[in-house]
PDB file of all heavy atoms in Angstrom:
ATOM      1  N   ILE B  20     -11.182   1.083   8.518  1.00  0.00           N
ATOM      2  CA  ILE B  20     -12.608   0.803   8.454  1.00  0.00           C
ATOM      3  C   ILE B  20     -12.890  -0.689   8.580  1.00  0.00           C
ATOM      4  O   ILE B  20     -13.848  -1.097   9.223  1.00  0.00           O
ATOM      5  CB  ILE B  20     -13.210   1.380   7.158  1.00  0.00           C
ATOM      6  CG1 ILE B  20     -13.099   2.906   7.211  1.00  0.00           C
ATOM      7  CG2 ILE B  20     -14.659   0.953   6.997  1.00  0.00           C
ATOM      8  CD1 ILE B  20     -13.711   3.608   6.042  1.00  0.00           C
ATOM      9  N   GLY B  24     -15.178  -2.199  11.143  1.00  0.00           N
ATOM     10  CA  GLY B  24     -16.417  -2.690  10.555  1.00  0.00           C
ATOM     11  C   GLY B  24     -17.134  -1.581   9.815  1.00  0.00           C
ATOM     12  O   GLY B  24     -17.463  -1.685   8.656  1.00  0.00           O
ATOM     13  N   ARG B  25     -17.338  -0.528  10.522  1.00  0.00           N
ATOM     14  CA  ARG B  25     -17.956   0.684   9.969  1.00  0.00           C
ATOM     15  C   ARG B  25     -17.448   1.833  10.803  1.00  0.00           C
ATOM     16  O   ARG B  25     -17.160   1.668  11.990  1.00  0.00           O
ATOM     17  CB  ARG B  25     -19.479   0.593  10.030  1.00  0.00           C
ATOM     18  CG  ARG B  25     -20.017   0.424  11.446  1.00  0.00           C
ATOM     19  CD  ARG B  25     -21.296  -0.370  11.533  1.00  0.00           C
ATOM     20  NE  ARG B  25     -22.332   0.007  10.606  1.00  0.00           N
ATOM     21  CZ  ARG B  25     -23.136   1.083  10.739  1.00  0.00           C
ATOM     22  NH1 ARG B  25     -23.012   1.877  11.771  1.00  0.00           N
ATOM     23  NH2 ARG B  25     -24.064   1.333   9.844  1.00  0.00           N
ATOM     24  N   ALA B  26     -17.345   3.002  10.226  1.00  0.00           N
ATOM     25  CA  ALA B  26     -16.723   4.084  10.984  1.00  0.00           C
ATOM     26  C   ALA B  26     -17.092   5.468  10.478  1.00  0.00           C
ATOM     27  O   ALA B  26     -17.379   5.661   9.298  1.00  0.00           O
ATOM     28  CB  ALA B  26     -15.213   3.928  10.950  1.00  0.00           C
ATOM     29  N   THR B  27     -17.093   6.407  11.386  1.00  0.00           N
ATOM     30  CA  THR B  27     -17.304   7.803  11.037  1.00  0.00           C
ATOM     31  C   THR B  27     -15.958   8.422  10.675  1.00  0.00           C
ATOM     32  O   THR B  27     -14.909   7.817  10.906  1.00  0.00           O
ATOM     33  CB  THR B  27     -17.876   8.582  12.226  1.00  0.00           C
ATOM     34  OG1 THR B  27     -16.898   8.572  13.274  1.00  0.00           O
ATOM     35  CG2 THR B  27     -19.152   7.956  12.743  1.00  0.00           C
ATOM     36  N   VAL B  28     -16.017   9.612  10.145  1.00  0.00           N
ATOM     37  CA  VAL B  28     -14.792  10.298   9.772  1.00  0.00           C
ATOM     38  C   VAL B  28     -13.866  10.407  10.976  1.00  0.00           C
ATOM     39  O   VAL B  28     -12.675  10.093  10.889  1.00  0.00           O
ATOM     40  CB  VAL B  28     -15.099  11.708   9.232  1.00  0.00           C
ATOM     41  CG1 VAL B  28     -13.812  12.401   8.831  1.00  0.00           C
ATOM     42  CG2 VAL B  28     -16.054  11.633   8.063  1.00  0.00           C
ATOM     43  N   GLU B  30     -13.697   8.670  13.655  1.00  0.00           N
ATOM     44  CA  GLU B  30     -13.145   7.387  14.083  1.00  0.00           C
ATOM     45  C   GLU B  30     -12.005   6.945  13.179  1.00  0.00           C
ATOM     46  O   GLU B  30     -10.971   6.451  13.656  1.00  0.00           O
ATOM     47  CB  GLU B  30     -14.246   6.317  14.085  1.00  0.00           C
ATOM     48  CG  GLU B  30     -15.245   6.486  15.210  1.00  0.00           C
ATOM     49  CD  GLU B  30     -16.495   5.642  15.015  1.00  0.00           C
ATOM     50  OE1 GLU B  30     -16.760   5.195  13.877  1.00  0.00           O
ATOM     51  OE2 GLU B  30     -17.222   5.461  16.006  1.00  0.00           O
ATOM     52  N   ARG B  45     -11.706  13.412   5.254  1.00  0.00           N
ATOM     53  CA  ARG B  45     -12.990  13.519   4.559  1.00  0.00           C
ATOM     54  C   ARG B  45     -12.818  13.367   3.048  1.00  0.00           C
ATOM     55  O   ARG B  45     -13.579  12.672   2.377  1.00  0.00           O
ATOM     56  CB  ARG B  45     -13.591  14.883   4.890  1.00  0.00           C
ATOM     57  CG  ARG B  45     -15.010  15.045   4.501  1.00  0.00           C
ATOM     58  CD  ARG B  45     -15.876  14.088   5.268  1.00  0.00           C
ATOM     59  NE  ARG B  45     -17.172  13.922   4.621  1.00  0.00           N
ATOM     60  CZ  ARG B  45     -17.368  13.243   3.518  1.00  0.00           C
ATOM     61  NH1 ARG B  45     -16.348  12.639   2.929  1.00  0.00           N
ATOM     62  NH2 ARG B  45     -18.558  13.131   2.991  1.00  0.00           N
ATOM     63  N   LEU B  48     -12.049   9.839   1.991  1.00  0.00           N
ATOM     64  CA  LEU B  48     -13.243   8.998   2.073  1.00  0.00           C
ATOM     65  C   LEU B  48     -14.128   9.218   0.859  1.00  0.00           C
ATOM     66  O   LEU B  48     -14.685   8.271   0.307  1.00  0.00           O
ATOM     67  CB  LEU B  48     -14.005   9.313   3.362  1.00  0.00           C
ATOM     68  CG  LEU B  48     -13.345   8.761   4.629  1.00  0.00           C
ATOM     69  CD1 LEU B  48     -14.001   9.339   5.873  1.00  0.00           C
ATOM     70  CD2 LEU B  48     -13.423   7.240   4.653  1.00  0.00           C
ATOM     71  N   GLU B  52     -15.121   6.447  -1.891  1.00  0.00           N
ATOM     72  CA  GLU B  52     -16.513   6.188  -2.216  1.00  0.00           C
ATOM     73  C   GLU B  52     -16.713   6.249  -3.728  1.00  0.00           C
ATOM     74  O   GLU B  52     -17.362   5.373  -4.315  1.00  0.00           O
ATOM     75  CB  GLU B  52     -17.390   7.223  -1.511  1.00  0.00           C
ATOM     76  CG  GLU B  52     -18.837   6.821  -1.488  1.00  0.00           C
ATOM     77  CD  GLU B  52     -19.635   7.610  -0.463  1.00  0.00           C
ATOM     78  OE1 GLU B  52     -19.070   8.500   0.211  1.00  0.00           O
ATOM     79  OE2 GLU B  52     -20.845   7.332  -0.342  1.00  0.00           O
ATOM     80  N   LEU B  57     -16.255   2.202  -0.825  1.00  0.00           N
ATOM     81  CA  LEU B  57     -17.055   2.501   0.356  1.00  0.00           C
ATOM     82  C   LEU B  57     -18.417   3.025  -0.069  1.00  0.00           C
ATOM     83  O   LEU B  57     -18.609   3.489  -1.191  1.00  0.00           O
ATOM     84  CB  LEU B  57     -16.378   3.601   1.193  1.00  0.00           C
ATOM     85  CG  LEU B  57     -15.045   3.292   1.847  1.00  0.00           C
ATOM     86  CD1 LEU B  57     -14.506   4.551   2.516  1.00  0.00           C
ATOM     87  CD2 LEU B  57     -15.212   2.173   2.866  1.00  0.00           C
ATOM     88  N   ARG B  58     -19.314   2.926   0.869  1.00  0.00           N
ATOM     89  CA  ARG B  58     -20.558   3.666   0.735  1.00  0.00           C
ATOM     90  C   ARG B  58     -20.812   4.270   2.100  1.00  0.00           C
ATOM     91  O   ARG B  58     -20.126   3.924   3.070  1.00  0.00           O
ATOM     92  CB  ARG B  58     -21.693   2.733   0.316  1.00  0.00           C
ATOM     93  CG  ARG B  58     -22.029   1.703   1.359  1.00  0.00           C
ATOM     94  CD  ARG B  58     -22.960   0.636   0.800  1.00  0.00           C
ATOM     95  NE  ARG B  58     -23.196  -0.361   1.849  1.00  0.00           N
ATOM     96  CZ  ARG B  58     -24.055  -0.207   2.853  1.00  0.00           C
ATOM     97  NH1 ARG B  58     -24.767   0.911   2.952  1.00  0.00           N
ATOM     98  NH2 ARG B  58     -24.212  -1.155   3.770  1.00  0.00           N
ATOM     99  N   HIS B  59     -21.782   5.136   2.198  1.00  0.00           N
ATOM    100  CA  HIS B  59     -22.023   5.703   3.520  1.00  0.00           C
ATOM    101  C   HIS B  59     -23.509   5.761   3.817  1.00  0.00           C
ATOM    102  O   HIS B  59     -24.339   5.788   2.907  1.00  0.00           O
ATOM    103  CB  HIS B  59     -21.411   7.101   3.628  1.00  0.00           C
ATOM    104  CG  HIS B  59     -22.153   8.127   2.843  1.00  0.00           C
ATOM    105  ND1 HIS B  59     -21.774   8.521   1.579  1.00  0.00           N
ATOM    106  CD2 HIS B  59     -23.258   8.847   3.133  1.00  0.00           C
ATOM    107  CE1 HIS B  59     -22.618   9.430   1.122  1.00  0.00           C
ATOM    108  NE2 HIS B  59     -23.524   9.650   2.032  1.00  0.00           N
ATOM    109  N   GLU B  60     -23.778   5.779   5.088  1.00  0.00           N
ATOM    110  CA  GLU B  60     -25.143   5.984   5.549  1.00  0.00           C
ATOM    111  C   GLU B  60     -25.132   7.166   6.491  1.00  0.00           C
ATOM    112  O   GLU B  60     -24.111   7.461   7.111  1.00  0.00           O
ATOM    113  CB  GLU B  60     -25.622   4.740   6.315  1.00  0.00           C
ATOM    114  CG  GLU B  60     -25.742   3.518   5.431  1.00  0.00           C
ATOM    115  CD  GLU B  60     -26.128   2.284   6.230  1.00  0.00           C
ATOM    116  OE1 GLU B  60     -26.269   2.390   7.470  1.00  0.00           O
ATOM    117  OE2 GLU B  60     -26.272   1.220   5.605  1.00  0.00           O
ATOM    118  N   SER B  61     -26.264   7.820   6.586  1.00  0.00           N
ATOM    119  CA  SER B  61     -26.364   8.924   7.533  1.00  0.00           C
ATOM    120  C   SER B  61     -26.869   8.380   8.852  1.00  0.00           C
ATOM    121  O   SER B  61     -27.795   7.567   8.883  1.00  0.00           O
ATOM    122  CB  SER B  61     -27.316   9.995   7.010  1.00  0.00           C
ATOM    123  OG  SER B  61     -26.615  11.002   6.349  1.00  0.00           O
ATOM    124  N   GLU B  62     -26.248   8.828   9.893  1.00  0.00           N
ATOM    125  CA  GLU B  62     -26.628   8.327  11.204  1.00  0.00           C
ATOM    126  C   GLU B  62     -26.367   9.453  12.192  1.00  0.00           C
ATOM    127  O   GLU B  62     -25.224   9.932  12.291  1.00  0.00           O
ATOM    128  CB  GLU B  62     -25.750   7.121  11.542  1.00  0.00           C
ATOM    129  CG  GLU B  62     -26.413   6.115  12.448  1.00  0.00           C
ATOM    130  CD  GLU B  62     -25.685   4.765  12.343  1.00  0.00           C
ATOM    131  OE1 GLU B  62     -25.957   4.000  11.389  1.00  0.00           O
ATOM    132  OE2 GLU B  62     -24.857   4.501  13.225  1.00  0.00           O
ATOM    133  N   ASP B  63     -27.391   9.890  12.892  1.00  0.00           N
ATOM    134  CA  ASP B  63     -27.221  11.015  13.809  1.00  0.00           C
ATOM    135  C   ASP B  63     -26.585  12.197  13.090  1.00  0.00           C
ATOM    136  O   ASP B  63     -25.649  12.810  13.618  1.00  0.00           O
ATOM    137  CB  ASP B  63     -26.309  10.628  14.986  1.00  0.00           C
ATOM    138  CG  ASP B  63     -26.942   9.557  15.831  1.00  0.00           C
ATOM    139  OD1 ASP B  63     -28.184   9.494  15.874  1.00  0.00           O
ATOM    140  OD2 ASP B  63     -26.181   8.770  16.434  1.00  0.00           O
ATOM    141  N   ASN B  64     -27.049  12.442  11.895  1.00  0.00           N
ATOM    142  CA  ASN B  64     -26.513  13.594  11.169  1.00  0.00           C
ATOM    143  C   ASN B  64     -25.039  13.520  10.831  1.00  0.00           C
ATOM    144  O   ASN B  64     -24.382  14.541  10.683  1.00  0.00           O
ATOM    145  CB  ASN B  64     -26.726  14.871  11.977  1.00  0.00           C
ATOM    146  CG  ASN B  64     -28.119  15.394  11.751  1.00  0.00           C
ATOM    147  OD1 ASN B  64     -28.686  15.189  10.686  1.00  0.00           O
ATOM    148  ND2 ASN B  64     -28.664  16.045  12.744  1.00  0.00           N
ATOM    149  N   ARG B  65     -24.541  12.320  10.766  1.00  0.00           N
ATOM    150  CA  ARG B  65     -23.162  12.240  10.292  1.00  0.00           C
ATOM    151  C   ARG B  65     -23.031  10.978   9.477  1.00  0.00           C
ATOM    152  O   ARG B  65     -23.883  10.100   9.538  1.00  0.00           O
ATOM    153  CB  ARG B  65     -22.192  12.266  11.459  1.00  0.00           C
ATOM    154  CG  ARG B  65     -21.930  10.931  12.047  1.00  0.00           C
ATOM    155  CD  ARG B  65     -21.170  11.050  13.343  1.00  0.00           C
ATOM    156  NE  ARG B  65     -22.076  11.483  14.414  1.00  0.00           N
ATOM    157  CZ  ARG B  65     -21.698  11.661  15.658  1.00  0.00           C
ATOM    158  NH1 ARG B  65     -20.425  11.516  15.984  1.00  0.00           N
ATOM    159  NH2 ARG B  65     -22.559  11.996  16.579  1.00  0.00           N
ATOM    160  N   TYR B  66     -21.971  10.909   8.720  1.00  0.00           N
ATOM    161  CA  TYR B  66     -21.820   9.756   7.847  1.00  0.00           C
ATOM    162  C   TYR B  66     -21.120   8.610   8.547  1.00  0.00           C
ATOM    163  O   TYR B  66     -20.164   8.806   9.294  1.00  0.00           O
ATOM    164  CB  TYR B  66     -20.990  10.126   6.616  1.00  0.00           C
ATOM    165  CG  TYR B  66     -21.740  10.959   5.610  1.00  0.00           C
ATOM    166  CD1 TYR B  66     -21.092  11.402   4.472  1.00  0.00           C
ATOM    167  CD2 TYR B  66     -23.076  11.277   5.796  1.00  0.00           C
ATOM    168  CE1 TYR B  66     -21.773  12.165   3.527  1.00  0.00           C
ATOM    169  CE2 TYR B  66     -23.754  12.039   4.855  1.00  0.00           C
ATOM    170  CZ  TYR B  66     -23.099  12.480   3.728  1.00  0.00           C
ATOM    171  OH  TYR B  66     -23.760  13.231   2.802  1.00  0.00           O
ATOM    172  N   VAL B  67     -21.624   7.443   8.268  1.00  0.00           N
ATOM    173  CA  VAL B  67     -20.934   6.239   8.700  1.00  0.00           C
ATOM    174  C   VAL B  67     -20.512   5.523   7.428  1.00  0.00           C
ATOM    175  O   VAL B  67     -21.349   5.269   6.564  1.00  0.00           O
ATOM    176  CB  VAL B  67     -21.857   5.335   9.530  1.00  0.00           C
ATOM    177  CG1 VAL B  67     -21.145   4.048   9.894  1.00  0.00           C
ATOM    178  CG2 VAL B  67     -22.320   6.067  10.767  1.00  0.00           C
ATOM    179  N   PHE B  68     -19.246   5.253   7.328  1.00  0.00           N
ATOM    180  CA  PHE B  68     -18.735   4.636   6.108  1.00  0.00           C
ATOM    181  C   PHE B  68     -18.632   3.129   6.265  1.00  0.00           C
ATOM    182  O   PHE B  68     -18.225   2.629   7.326  1.00  0.00           O
ATOM    183  CB  PHE B  68     -17.388   5.234   5.736  1.00  0.00           C
ATOM    184  CG  PHE B  68     -17.517   6.651   5.261  1.00  0.00           C
ATOM    185  CD1 PHE B  68     -17.537   7.699   6.178  1.00  0.00           C
ATOM    186  CD2 PHE B  68     -17.668   6.937   3.919  1.00  0.00           C
ATOM    187  CE1 PHE B  68     -17.695   9.010   5.753  1.00  0.00           C
ATOM    188  CE2 PHE B  68     -17.822   8.244   3.481  1.00  0.00           C
ATOM    189  CZ  PHE B  68     -17.835   9.284   4.405  1.00  0.00           C
ATOM    190  N   ILE B  69     -19.003   2.467   5.193  1.00  0.00           N
ATOM    191  CA  ILE B  69     -19.095   1.017   5.208  1.00  0.00           C
ATOM    192  C   ILE B  69     -18.473   0.479   3.926  1.00  0.00           C
ATOM    193  O   ILE B  69     -18.713   1.019   2.851  1.00  0.00           O
ATOM    194  CB  ILE B  69     -20.585   0.602   5.250  1.00  0.00           C
ATOM    195  CG1 ILE B  69     -21.239   1.237   6.475  1.00  0.00           C
ATOM    196  CG2 ILE B  69     -20.740  -0.903   5.252  1.00  0.00           C
ATOM    197  CD1 ILE B  69     -22.741   1.111   6.487  1.00  0.00           C
ATOM    198  N   PRO B  70     -17.676  -0.557   4.058  1.00  0.00           N
ATOM    199  CA  PRO B  70     -17.048  -1.130   2.867  1.00  0.00           C
ATOM    200  C   PRO B  70     -18.111  -1.728   1.951  1.00  0.00           C
ATOM    201  O   PRO B  70     -19.084  -2.316   2.430  1.00  0.00           O
ATOM    202  CB  PRO B  70     -16.163  -2.256   3.418  1.00  0.00           C
ATOM    203  CG  PRO B  70     -16.050  -2.001   4.885  1.00  0.00           C
ATOM    204  CD  PRO B  70     -17.286  -1.284   5.286  1.00  0.00           C
ATOM    205  N   THR B  71     -17.927  -1.586   0.655  1.00  0.00           N
ATOM    206  CA  THR B  71     -18.858  -2.230  -0.265  1.00  0.00           C
ATOM    207  C   THR B  71     -18.487  -3.698  -0.423  1.00  0.00           C
ATOM    208  O   THR B  71     -19.346  -4.544  -0.614  1.00  0.00           O
ATOM    209  CB  THR B  71     -18.818  -1.575  -1.650  1.00  0.00           C
ATOM    210  OG1 THR B  71     -17.481  -1.602  -2.132  1.00  0.00           O
ATOM    211  CG2 THR B  71     -19.288  -0.152  -1.588  1.00  0.00           C
TER     212      THR B  71
ATOM    213  P    DC C   7     -18.779  15.579  14.731  1.00  0.00           P
ATOM    214  OP1  DC C   7     -18.871  14.489  15.704  1.00  0.00           O
ATOM    215  OP2  DC C   7     -17.485  16.255  14.457  1.00  0.00           O
ATOM    216  O5'  DC C   7     -19.395  15.090  13.347  1.00  0.00           O
ATOM    217  C5'  DC C   7     -18.920  15.672  12.133  1.00  0.00           C
ATOM    218  C4'  DC C   7     -20.102  16.109  11.308  1.00  0.00           C
ATOM    219  O4'  DC C   7     -20.369  17.486  11.580  1.00  0.00           O
ATOM    220  C3'  DC C   7     -19.829  16.065   9.812  1.00  0.00           C
ATOM    221  O3'  DC C   7     -20.140  14.787   9.317  1.00  0.00           O
ATOM    222  C2'  DC C   7     -20.771  17.111   9.295  1.00  0.00           C
ATOM    223  C1'  DC C   7     -20.824  18.135  10.409  1.00  0.00           C
ATOM    224  N1   DC C   7     -19.982  19.353  10.199  1.00  0.00           N
ATOM    225  C2   DC C   7     -20.353  20.286   9.231  1.00  0.00           C
ATOM    226  O2   DC C   7     -21.364  20.058   8.545  1.00  0.00           O
ATOM    227  N3   DC C   7     -19.605  21.397   9.049  1.00  0.00           N
ATOM    228  C4   DC C   7     -18.520  21.595   9.802  1.00  0.00           C
ATOM    229  N4   DC C   7     -17.820  22.714   9.602  1.00  0.00           N
ATOM    230  C5   DC C   7     -18.115  20.647  10.799  1.00  0.00           C
ATOM    231  C6   DC C   7     -18.862  19.555  10.956  1.00  0.00           C
ATOM    232  P    DT C   8     -19.342  14.287   8.092  1.00  0.00           P
ATOM    233  OP1  DT C   8     -19.788  12.903   7.873  1.00  0.00           O
ATOM    234  OP2  DT C   8     -17.926  14.619   8.278  1.00  0.00           O
ATOM    235  O5'  DT C   8     -19.874  15.212   6.889  1.00  0.00           O
ATOM    236  C5'  DT C   8     -21.213  15.082   6.438  1.00  0.00           C
ATOM    237  C4'  DT C   8     -21.469  16.091   5.330  1.00  0.00           C
ATOM    238  O4'  DT C   8     -21.160  17.410   5.844  1.00  0.00           O
ATOM    239  C3'  DT C   8     -20.560  15.873   4.129  1.00  0.00           C
ATOM    240  O3'  DT C   8     -21.289  15.474   2.990  1.00  0.00           O
ATOM    241  C2'  DT C   8     -19.912  17.218   3.855  1.00  0.00           C
ATOM    242  C1'  DT C   8     -20.517  18.163   4.848  1.00  0.00           C
ATOM    243  N1   DT C   8     -19.433  18.967   5.488  1.00  0.00           N
ATOM    244  C2   DT C   8     -19.191  20.234   5.017  1.00  0.00           C
ATOM    245  O2   DT C   8     -19.829  20.739   4.116  1.00  0.00           O
ATOM    246  N3   DT C   8     -18.162  20.885   5.649  1.00  0.00           N
ATOM    247  C4   DT C   8     -17.379  20.420   6.672  1.00  0.00           C
ATOM    248  O4   DT C   8     -16.483  21.100   7.167  1.00  0.00           O
ATOM    249  C5   DT C   8     -17.681  19.073   7.114  1.00  0.00           C
ATOM    250  C7   DT C   8     -16.888  18.450   8.213  1.00  0.00           C
ATOM    251  C6   DT C   8     -18.676  18.408   6.511  1.00  0.00           C
ATOM    252  P    DG C   9     -20.470  15.193   1.667  1.00  0.00           P
ATOM    253  OP1  DG C   9     -21.343  14.362   0.813  1.00  0.00           O
ATOM    254  OP2  DG C   9     -19.134  14.719   2.059  1.00  0.00           O
ATOM    255  O5'  DG C   9     -20.285  16.639   1.003  1.00  0.00           O
ATOM    256  C5'  DG C   9     -21.394  17.311   0.448  1.00  0.00           C
ATOM    257  C4'  DG C   9     -20.888  18.404  -0.469  1.00  0.00           C
ATOM    258  O4'  DG C   9     -20.133  19.359   0.311  1.00  0.00           O
ATOM    259  C3'  DG C   9     -19.962  17.899  -1.566  1.00  0.00           C
ATOM    260  O3'  DG C   9     -20.390  18.440  -2.810  1.00  0.00           O
ATOM    261  C2'  DG C   9     -18.580  18.400  -1.181  1.00  0.00           C
ATOM    262  C1'  DG C   9     -18.850  19.564  -0.240  1.00  0.00           C
ATOM    263  N9   DG C   9     -17.920  19.633   0.882  1.00  0.00           N
ATOM    264  C8   DG C   9     -17.625  18.626   1.761  1.00  0.00           C
ATOM    265  N7   DG C   9     -16.761  18.969   2.686  1.00  0.00           N
ATOM    266  C5   DG C   9     -16.477  20.294   2.396  1.00  0.00           C
ATOM    267  C6   DG C   9     -15.606  21.198   3.056  1.00  0.00           C
ATOM    268  O6   DG C   9     -14.901  21.006   4.054  1.00  0.00           O
ATOM    269  N1   DG C   9     -15.594  22.454   2.440  1.00  0.00           N
ATOM    270  C2   DG C   9     -16.348  22.781   1.336  1.00  0.00           C
ATOM    271  N2   DG C   9     -16.213  24.031   0.893  1.00  0.00           N
ATOM    272  N3   DG C   9     -17.169  21.938   0.715  1.00  0.00           N
ATOM    273  C4   DG C   9     -17.182  20.717   1.293  1.00  0.00           C
TER     274       DG C   9
END
Side-chain angles (χ1 to χ4, degrees):
Chain B
I20 295 183
R25 60 211 312 282
T27 64
V28 181
E30 288 166 342
R45 192 64 198 74
L48 286 169
E52 195 163 2
L57 294 175
R58 65 191 178 80
H59 72 263
E60 294 176 358
S61 265
E62 209 161 278
D63 295 332
N64 277 330
R65 86 190 76 179
Y66 285 178
V67 176
F68 290 85
I69 303 170
T71 56

